[in-house]
Structures are given as structure tokens and as C-alpha cells.
């Protein structure tokens, strides 16, 4: 992503944006973790924190950032509410960091998981 300025050009890699987005996702209530975009044998594997960027796809469309997130959500919570919170949190965090509009944040729920405390 390359916003232009008077002094030159600033380039932010899609991986850097993915890292910003994954950090915002992991701070959201109800999110157990990030998952890879592909599901094998119908089971979503939760990514380790250092690989969470792999659960995020970033692209540029019409001058706006489009982000696809693959998440695992806590069982028993309303999925639509958790997903909406994730969308808003990621949009805010990325726009604040980049000063560039986020056109879409798409949340793909790869699975639900019962927490270990229960």
C-alpha cells in the first residue's frame, strides 16, 4: 500500500497490515484465535501468535484496503456480534495506523471452540 506525500512515497507491506489486523482481532472479546484460510478435514487449526498474520489476507481495491480474516470464535457467544466487533476493531486499528481508508473487513468464522476453563 503506497500513500504518496510531498517528500516521496511510503510503502507498507501487506504482511505488516496483516500483523496490525491480527493484533486487533486477538484483542476482541470472544475470539479464541486466528486460523489458516484453508480448513483441512473440516477442522480449523488455531495459529500460534507469531503466525497469526497467516490468518489474514490483505489486498488493495480502488484505493482502499480490503481485509479478509479467518477466526475461531468462543462457543456459546453470538457469532454475528463477535464478528461485528472484530470488523469495527480491525477497521479502526488499521485506519489509525495507516491513515488510509479500509473499504472492507470480511470475517470468515473457521470454527468455534469451547474454552479450557469450562
Amino acid at each position: 500500500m503506497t500513500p504518496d506525500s510531498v517528500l516521496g512515497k511510503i510503502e507498507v507491506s501487506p504482511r505488516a497490515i496483516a500483523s496490525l489486523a491480527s493484533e486487533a482481532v486477538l484483542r476482541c472479546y470472544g475470539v479464541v484465535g486466528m486460523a489458516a484460510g484453508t480448513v483441512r478435514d473440516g477442522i480449523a487449526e488455531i495459529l500460534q501468535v507469531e503466525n497469526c498474520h497467516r490468518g489474514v489476507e490483505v489486498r488493495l481495491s480502488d484505493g482502499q484496503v480490503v481485509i479478509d480474516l479467518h477466526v475461531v470464535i468462543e462457543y456459546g457467544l453470538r457469532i454475528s456480534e463477535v464478528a461485528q466487533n472484530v470488523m469495527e476493531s480491525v477497521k479502526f486499528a488499521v485506519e489509525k495506523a495507516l491513515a488510509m481508508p479500509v473499504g472492507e473487513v470480511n470475517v470468515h468464522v473457521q470454527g468455534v471452540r469451547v474454552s479450557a476453563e469450562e
Side-chain angles (χ1 to χ4, degrees), residues 11-24:
E11 290 189 27
V12 181
S13 75
R15 183 171 174 164
I17 296 170
S19 293
L20 286 168
S22 65
E23 286 179 29

Side-chain angles (χ1 to χ4, degrees), residues 48-61:
Q48 299 294 322
V49 174
E50 60 273 4
N51 291 323
C52 280
H53 65 275
R54 287 182 31 221
V56 182
E57 298 166 20
V58 177
R59 62 188 185 283
L60 189 62
S61 177

Side-chain angles (χ1 to χ4, degrees), residues 20-21 23 26 34 40-41 51 60 70 74 78 81 92-93 98-99 101 107-108 111:
L20 286 168
E23 286 179 29
L26 294 175
M34 301 292 296
R40 295 182 190 172
D41 301 324
N51 291 323
L60 189 62
H70 302 275
E74 177 73 33
R78 188 174 298 227
E81 288 182 15
F92 177 79
L98 296 180
V107 178
H108 305 275

Side-chain angles (χ1 to χ4, degrees), residues 60-97:
L60 189 62
S61 177
D62 297 326
Q64 295 184 330
V65 180
V66 176
I67 302 170
D68 286 283
L69 307 165
H70 302 275
V71 300
V72 177
I73 292 181
E74 177 73 33
Y75 176 80
L77 298 177
R78 188 174 298 227
I79 292 172
S80 61
E81 288 182 15
V82 174
Q84 186 65 40
N85 185 35
V86 167
M87 288 176 185
E88 292 169 5
S89 296
V90 169
K91 183 177 182 351
F92 177 79
V94 173
E95 285 183 344
K96 182 178 176 189

